[in-house]
Amino acid sequence: MLMTSLSVLISVPSWLALLPLMQLLFVQFDDREDAGSWLHMLVLVYALSWAFSLGSVAGQTGQLNIDASPQNARKIPDKMFGIFFEEINHAGAGGLWAELVSNRGFEAGGPNTPSNIDPWLIIGNESSIIVGTDRTSYFERNPVALRMEVLCDSKGTNVCPSGGVGIYNPGYWGMNVERRKVYKVALHIRSLDAVSLTVSLASSNGLQKMASHTITGSKKQFAKWTKIEFHLKSNQNNANSRLQLTTSKSGVIWLDQVSVMPLDTYMGHGFRKDLASMLANLKPQFLKFPGGNYAMGNYLRNAFRWSETVGPWEERPGHFNDAWGYWTDDGLGFFEFLQLAEDLGALPVWVVNDGASQNEEVSTTTIASLVKDIVDGIEFARGGPESTWGSVRAAMGHPQPFNLNYVSIGNQECWMLYYRGNYQKFYSAIKAAYPDINVISSCDKSTISPSNPADLYDVHVYTSSSDMFSRTSMFDNTPRSGPKAIISEYAVTGNDAGKGTLVAALAEAAFLVGLERNSDVVEMASCAPLFVNDNDRRWSPDAIVFNSWQSYGCPNYWMLHFFKDSSGATLHPSNIQISGYNQLAASAITWQSSKDKSTYLKIKVVNFGNKAVNLSISVSGLNVGIKSSGSKKTVLTSSGPLDENSFQQPEKVAPLSSPMDNANQQMDVSLGAYSLTSFDLLLEQSKHSSS
């Protein structure tokens, strides 16, 4: 049995190499019957074989040469690496947008009433309360309101149950309410009678209240729609809370546009702080929004319409996100995306609907109104505060124009019948009004010509990990003239992608290394999708996973940190020499820290294979030396290539940094199997900069 186990553990080449030694040992023990001696012999053979096996892996050696001379260097575009946001997986509604109430305007059930009010539910039974919807809202574009007829009272023959009756909203799989945090509540009320309505943040069963406020008023005060606003301060933590609106007073009361927002949001602009901070930590240079299929819709009636997502939040009609199967109140609208880009220090890249959905297409002869709508949208972003649409932006609190310089026409619809004709209409109208705007085509580079111009062309890459790794050379042979590419969506998919595995992140890292090397023909790149609410996985993998109160980065999120200093950095030529092992990809850049202005030579190496590698690195052409201290090594790896992060182990696969004691222009380093390693070598200050 022992021999069988050992034979599994020891590789065939190791056994063959050790045959002479084994024959010698068998002769030595041939005349002995000592079982202990046999056991010692087998253990010795196994140990020698194991050592031999390790030696063969450790013996994998290679050479990385880097030419750091200024004359052969090239600048990487300033906006090389950014992020792409799509409203998928409840990324915005119930995610990045911090609104806690789901279906706050009761519009999700459609315009015909009575309608479904999901996820709102009733507190009480039919003998005490009747709840429905009607079309009596104060807001013209949001006609539906909730009608609550209370049949019980605080006294008399039909006494309300303790705590009253009413409705509650669980938010998006539970509201996260935190102790000592303040929440802004807003709602609109109309009533035929005097009002006594208690608004509470309570536990999921309603028995425990974290905060409450009672709204009271006369019949006259609420005869017309009245907006009520106040703050609630929670006295405890509860990650699975709900909003309750209850009363013990009989009568009819209408409710509409009910909102609960935490006051503590990212930059004070309504973005969930932990999620937006994770984006900021990537130092994105651009933000592409609002999505791909989300921008198109399965049908045009459900496409993202920018003009219906701006202005006061109560007046936004919301729409059904039919591409990904859920309602959005559009609190996260066109204005908020522009604001988010500004808050992140990123350039906005707007994906516009080009008159196509997944199932429909507007012909070129009738596209003019949609073209004008997009030009109006650019005016909203860039127009002066006195312009028609710029004044709407100014009224929302942003009189200064946003820095919108990129517009992407459609979402990979080049194959559709009318795309090219429609594209030319959009291109001409945008350039006529805003000649500096960069227009991005959904067609590939081969279709672009003086008669079909484009500033950039959009590329999407979704493939297996092995194919993604091979695409490190995807742009090596691309013609160096003409418009550059924006790789606005890329991701490893398939069996080994899981919910975000190490091997998927390494494949994407190798792809990005290739984009760095080809940054003379690639202008921008971003992964997709960005977010997933763990309660609504429509797509895997994703970079950031969250629920109502937790979040973590997947391995590919941490991988992106290795590239956050690349935008605007200086790229140096590099080449790898290794025999019989084609699983490495490498790049080298110099970059300057914004904190202390120190300059580093960053060398990144992806080892996509299952063997450790001893790598000799040789740097030539540096016009300054490498400091003896201040350099560091950072490694992204794990015990297995399919390892993932989780709420239980949020940093199972995360970068680990350590100081380097052998930083030099000539150095030997070790690369673990399935790893991404960066060496940040602190450079001495040049004489020019010191003077």
Side-chain angles (χ1 to χ4, degrees):
M1 188 65 178
L2 179 60
M3 179 65 78
T4 303
S5 300
L6 288 170
S7 67
V8 172
L9 289 169
I10 303 174
S11 66
V12 172
S14 302
W15 275 107
L16 292 174
L18 291 169
L19 274 176
L21 175 61
M22 292 172 62
Q23 289 172 348
L24 177 63
L25 290 170
F26 273 111
V27 170
Q28 182 179 351
F29 291 109
D30 188 75
D31 296 324
R32 299 184 185 183
E33 296 181 0
D34 185 353
S37 298
W38 277 101
L39 179 60
H40 286 309
M41 183 272 290
L42 290 171
V43 170
L44 178 62
V45 170
Y46 170 69
L48 289 170
S49 176
W50 180 248
F52 185 89
S53 174
L54 285 178
S56 68
V57 172
Q60 190 72 238
T61 60
Q63 176 76 32
L64 173 60
N65 298 310
I66 297 165
D67 177 4
S69 59
Q71 62 268 26
N72 292 323
R74 186 181 75 242
K75 184 181 178 183
I76 295 174
D78 291 331
K79 48 203 168 290
M80 182 72 187
F81 293 112
I83 53 179
F84 167 66
F85 181 94
E86 172 139 21
E87 182 60 271
I88 181 177
N89 306 319
H90 273 89
L96 181 61
W97 188 242
E99 172 64 61
L100 296 180
V101 179
S102 176
N103 189 19
R104 64 187 180 189
F106 308 101
E107 304 289 336
N112 298 321
T113 59
S115 57
N116 186 357
I117 61 172
D118 183 72
W120 292 91
L121 291 169
I122 298 172
I123 301 171
N125 56 41
E126 292 179 355
S127 66
S128 57
I129 186 171
I130 298 174
V131 175
T133 56
D134 61 24
R135 296 172 60 85
T136 60
S137 173
Y138 172 78
F139 302 102
E140 183 179 348
R141 294 199 295 177
N142 302 313
V144 177
L146 184 97
R147 182 181 188 274
M148 192 166 71
E149 184 177 358
V150 180
L151 306 177
C152 61
D153 209 327
S154 58
K155 56 186 178 181
T157 57
N158 188 6
V159 178
C160 293
S162 176
V165 297
I167 56 173
Y168 73 88
N169 188 293
Y172 299 90
W173 300 280
M175 297 180 180
N176 181 36
V177 174
E178 299 179 78
R179 184 171 179 261
R180 295 179 179 173
K181 290 291 180 71
V182 178
Y183 300 85
K184 181 180 179 180
V185 180
L187 69 159
H188 296 254
I189 301 174
R190 183 170 72 89
S191 180
L192 299 179
D193 305 284
V195 169
S196 179
L197 183 72
T198 299
V199 180
S200 308
L201 293 172
S203 58
S204 59
N205 59 10
L207 299 179
Q208 191 178 32
K209 290 185 179 180
M210 280 72 75
S212 65
H213 172 79
T214 299
I215 302 167
T216 58
S218 65
K219 175 180 178 179
K220 182 179 180 181
Q221 183 179 348
F222 290 103
K224 295 181 179 181
W225 281 107
T226 303
K227 184 177 183 178
I228 303 294
E229 294 180 289
F230 55 89
H231 290 165
L232 290 176
K233 185 175 182 179
S234 176
N235 58 23
Q236 55 192 291
N237 294 321
N238 192 315
N240 190 24
S241 305
R242 71 189 200 186
L243 172 71
Q244 295 185 167
L245 294 89
T246 56
T247 184
S248 295
K249 188 177 185 312
S250 62
V252 178
I253 186 170
W254 284 265
L255 302 169
D256 201 6
Q257 299 300 332
V258 182
S259 170
V260 178
M261 284 283 284
L263 285 188
D264 186 20
T265 61
Y266 187 75
M267 305 285 277
H269 290 143
F271 308 109
R272 184 170 145 177
K273 207 167 187 178
D274 60 330
L275 300 183
S277 296
M278 291 183 74
L279 298 184
N281 289 340
L282 293 175
K283 293 166 53 175
Q285 298 304 301
F286 67 87
L287 168 66
K288 189 167 184 259
F289 67 89
N293 289 353
Y294 176 67
M296 294 175 65
N298 284 343
Y299 293 92
L300 284 170
R301 64 178 175 271
N302 294 317
F304 180 84
R305 303 292 185 191
W306 74 267
S307 60
E308 295 184 351
T309 72
V310 299
W313 59 268
E314 301 99 326
E315 297 178 13
R316 304 181 190 183
H319 75 286
F320 181 60
N321 175 5
D322 64 354
W324 304 113
Y326 56 90
W327 176 261
T328 57
D329 286 316
D330 287 330
L332 181 58
F334 188 44
F335 176 90
E336 286 73 24
F337 282 119
L338 293 166
Q339 184 66 66
L340 177 61
E342 184 175 273
D343 290 347
L344 295 173
L347 288 173
V349 180
W350 180 24
V351 183
V352 304
N353 184 284
D354 56 359
S357 69
Q358 296 289 345
N359 295 287
E360 302 162 289
E361 190 178 11
V362 175
S363 72
T364 305
T365 57
T366 57
I367 198 68
S369 61
L370 280 78
V371 171
K372 181 181 183 304
D373 181 65
I374 298 308
V375 175
D376 288 345
I378 299 173
E379 181 182 275
F380 174 87
R382 293 184 33 163
E386 304 302 322
S387 64
T388 301
W389 283 106
S391 64
V392 177
R393 182 199 67 243
M396 296 179 71
H398 202 288
Q400 294 301 315
F402 287 108
N403 190 23
L404 177 63
N405 291 316
Y406 291 84
V407 174
S408 185
I409 310 299
N411 174 53
Q412 299 288 288
E413 296 100 40
C414 190
W415 58 273
M416 297 183 79
L417 178 62
Y418 296 111
Y419 177 80
R420 297 191 191 187
N422 289 350
Y423 169 83
Q424 291 187 7
K425 296 286 188 181
F426 281 100
Y427 181 92
S428 298
I430 292 170
K431 288 292 188 179
Y434 303 94
D436 61 314
I437 289 249
N438 291 281
V439 178
I440 303 169
S441 171
S442 286
C443 295
D444 63 36
K445 188 170 185 174
S446 65
T447 67
I448 298 170
S449 66
S451 61
N452 186 40
D455 297 298
L456 296 164
Y457 64 99
D458 192 16
V459 177
H460 297 182
V461 180
Y462 292 98
T463 188
S464 66
S465 62
S466 59
D467 187 62
M468 185 69 81
F469 177 82
S470 71
R471 292 187 183 227
T472 189
S473 59
M474 179 175 174
F475 290 91
D476 285 3
N477 298 316
T478 298
R480 289 0 235 182
S481 60
K484 295 183 179 182
I486 169 174
I487 319 300
S488 69
E489 298 183 37
Y490 69 84
V492 168
T493 57
N495 294 334
D496 59 1
K499 293 182 179 179
T501 60
L502 170 64
V503 73
L506 297 178
E508 292 177 6
F511 180 64
L512 296 190
V513 162
L515 298 188
E516 281 184 327
R517 289 190 294 100
N518 287 285
S519 56
D520 56 331
V521 293
V522 177
E523 184 85 2
M524 309 158 90
S526 54
C527 72
L530 191 58
F531 285 115
V532 59
N533 187 315
D534 196 48
N535 297 285
D536 185 37
R537 281 186 178 270
R538 308 280 169 146
W539 185 284
S540 285
D542 310 89
I544 299 170
V545 183
F546 65 90
N547 56 25
S548 68
W549 63 289
Q550 297 169 294
S551 58
Y552 66 85
C554 289
N556 66 333
Y557 169 78
W558 292 113
M559 176 274 294
L560 292 173
H561 283 255
F562 287 73
F563 293 84
K564 66 183 182 181
D565 299 311
S566 294
S567 299
T570 301
L571 177 75
H572 302 290
S574 61
N575 68 82
I576 296 175
Q577 298 171 356
I578 187 167
S579 178
Y581 191 71
N582 60 351
Q583 302 297 303
L584 300 184
S587 68
I589 64 170
T590 51
W591 66 279
Q592 188 177 66
S593 168
S594 59
K595 293 181 179 180
D596 59 10
K597 304 304 179 183
S598 296
T599 301
Y600 294 84
L601 172 66
K602 180 192 286 285
I603 303 168
K604 295 190 291 288
V605 188
V606 180
N607 184 358
F608 190 64
N610 61 359
K611 294 182 179 181
V613 176
N614 289 328
L615 193 66
S616 294
I617 298 178
S618 176
V619 181
S620 63
L622 271 178
N623 54 13
V624 295
I626 296 173
K627 286 191 174 183
S628 57
S629 62
S631 298
K632 69 176 181 178
K633 172 184 176 180
T634 306
V635 181
L636 180 68
T637 190
S638 190
S639 57
L642 298 182
D643 283 355
E644 302 178 350
N645 292 335
S646 63
F647 289 122
Q648 293 72 35
Q649 293 181 287
E651 295 188 1
K652 181 177 182 179
V653 187
L656 292 176
S657 295
S658 58
M660 294 183 66
D661 55 10
N662 68 331
N664 212 315
Q665 295 186 37
Q666 310 292 324
M667 58 185 186
D668 294 327
V669 300
S670 59
L671 307 173
Y674 296 114
S675 66
L676 168 60
T677 307
S678 74
F679 305 94
D680 282 279
L681 310 180
L682 178 60
L683 302 182
E684 293 177 347
Q685 195 173 30
S686 68
K687 293 180 180 180
H688 175 74
S689 60
S690 63
S691 62

